[in-house]
C-alpha cells in the first residue's frame, strides 16, 4: 500500500487535550486565518451597516417578513398555534441571561477539567464578540421593523441582530474550542451540527417574531461565525506554540 499522506495522518490522529499534530506536518497559517476572519466580521457589519444607515432597504427583508404572516392579518404568524410559543422559547436561548449562564457554566466545566487555555479562549472570544455586536448596534442605530406586529418586547437597535450575532459568537466559540479537546470525531461533528441547528433556529425566531429584518439576522450570523472561527484559529496557533 502507498504511504499515507500528511493530511491522512492528521485526520487519523485523535484530538486530545492540548495535543498538536504529528511532527513534520505542515499546518495552516492560523494567525492569518484568525486575522482574516476578524477582518471579515468587521467588514460585514461596517459595509452592510453603512448601506443601511444611508437609508437603503432590501426587498427580500419585506418579502420574507410578510411571508411569515397570515395574509390579510399581519399580527398573526403562519403555522400552528403552538409554533409562536415555541419560537418565544427558542429566542430566549439567544438572550443575554441565557448566554451569560452558558458561558459561566462552560468556563466552570473547563476550569474544573483543567483546560485553562480553552477556558481563556472561550472567555476572550465571547466577551470581545459581544462587545463588538453592541458597538455595531450603537453605530448603525437601525430602527426595528414596523412592517408587522412585534410578538415579543424589544428595546435596542435592530442591526445587527444581537440574538443572532451573540448566539453565533458564544455557541460557536464554545463548540469550536471544545472540539479541539474532544477525542472522538463523531462527538466533535455532533457538537458542530447541533450548534448550527441551534444558532439557525435562534436567528429564524427573531424574524418570525417580527423584531428583526432578515438582513439583521444574516449580518449577525455572518459576523458571529467569523468571529468564532477567528478565535478557533488563534487557539490552534497557541496550542502549536505551546508544543513546538
Amino acid at each position: 500500500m502507498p504511504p499515507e499522506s500528511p493530511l491522512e495522518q492528521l485526520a487519523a490522529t485523535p484530538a486530545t487535550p492540548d495535543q498538536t499534530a504529528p511532527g513534520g506536518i505542515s499546518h495552516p497559517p492560523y494567525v492569518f486565518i484568525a486575522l482574516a476572519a476578524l477582518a471579515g466580521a468587521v467588514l460585514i457589519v461596517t459595509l452592510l451597516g453603512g448601506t443601511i444607515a444611508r437609508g437603503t432597504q432590501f426587498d427580500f427583508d419585506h418579502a420574507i417578513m410578510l411571508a411569515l404572516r397570515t395574509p390579510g392579518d399581519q399580527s398573526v404568524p403562519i403555522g400552528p398555534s403552538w409554533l409562536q410559543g415555541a419560537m418565544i422559547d427558542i429566542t430566549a436561548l439567544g438572550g443575554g441571561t441565557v448566554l451569560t449562564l452558558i458561558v459561566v457554566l462552560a468556563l466552570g466545566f473547563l476550569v474544573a477539567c483543567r483546560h485553562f487555555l480553552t477556558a481563556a479562549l472561550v472567555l476572550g472570544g465571547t466577551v470581545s464578540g459581544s462587545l463588538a455586536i453592541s458597538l455595531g448596534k450603537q453605530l448603525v442605530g437601525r430602527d426595528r421593523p414596523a412592517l408587522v406586529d412585534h410578538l415579543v418586547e424589544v428595546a435596542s437597535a435592530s442591526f445587527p441582530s444581537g440574538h443572532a450575532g451573540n448566539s453565533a459568537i458564544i455557541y460557536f466559540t464554545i463548540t469550536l474550542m471544545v472540539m479541539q479537546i474532544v477525542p472522538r470525531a463523531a462527538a466533535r461533528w455532533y457538537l458542530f451540527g447541533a450548534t448550527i441547528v441551534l444558532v439557525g433556529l435562534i436567528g429564524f425566531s427573531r424574524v418570525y417574531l417580527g423584531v428583526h429584518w432578515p438582513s439583521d439576522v444574516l449580518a449577525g450570523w455572518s459576523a458571529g461565525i467569523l468571529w468564532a472561527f477567528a478565535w478557533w484559529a488563534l487557539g490552534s496557533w497557541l496550542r502549536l506554540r505551546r508544543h513546538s
Side-chain angles (χ1 to χ4, degrees), residues 72-155:
D73 190 350
Q74 296 177 1
S75 66
V76 180
I78 61 172
S81 57
W82 56 264
L83 185 57
Q84 179 178 337
M87 288 293 103
I88 292 174
D89 291 339
I90 289 171
T91 210
L93 298 176
T97 301
V98 172
L99 292 178
T100 300
L101 182 61
I102 291 293
V103 172
V104 170
L105 292 175
L107 289 174
F109 175 79
L110 291 170
V111 170
C113 293
R114 301 183 65 80
H115 293 303
F116 300 120
L117 174 58
T118 304
L121 290 165
V122 167
L123 180 61
T126 55
V127 171
S128 62
S130 295
L131 291 174
I133 292 292
S134 178
L135 178 61
K137 278 182 173 290
Q138 295 175 25
L139 293 177
V140 178
R142 188 184 199 182
D143 292 334
R144 294 281 178 167
L147 184 63
V148 298
D149 291 356
H150 297 172
L151 303 182
V152 290
E153 294 293 328
V154 289

Side-chain angles (χ1 to χ4, degrees), residues 56-76:
T56 301
Q57 296 186 359
F58 304 107
D59 291 339
F60 73 89
D61 275 340
H62 293 75
I64 292 174
M65 294 199 74
L66 290 175
L68 294 175
R69 294 303 169 100
T70 302
D73 190 350
Q74 296 177 1
S75 66
V76 180

Side-chain angles (χ1 to χ4, degrees), residues 216-232:
D216 299 333
V217 172
L218 289 174
W221 277 339
S222 301
I225 291 171
L226 283 172
W227 197 274
F229 270 104
W231 283 82
W232 166 84

Side-chain angles (χ1 to χ4, degrees), residues 142-212:
R142 188 184 199 182
D143 292 334
R144 294 281 178 167
L147 184 63
V148 298
D149 291 356
H150 297 172
L151 303 182
V152 290
E153 294 293 328
V154 289
S156 63
S158 187
F159 180 92
S161 168
H163 278 66
N166 285 324
S167 65
I169 289 167
I170 288 170
Y171 289 123
F172 272 108
T173 298
I174 292 174
T175 294
L176 291 171
M177 292 301 104
V178 171
M179 284 175 68
Q180 292 181 331
I181 61 175
V182 171
R184 293 185 61 84
R188 295 197 296 271
W189 287 112
Y190 172 80
L191 285 172
F192 191 71
T195 302
I196 291 175
V197 172
L198 177 59
V199 172
L201 286 173
I202 291 170
F204 173 76
S205 73
R206 303 307 285 172
V207 179
Y208 184 88
L209 295 171
V211 294
H212 274 295

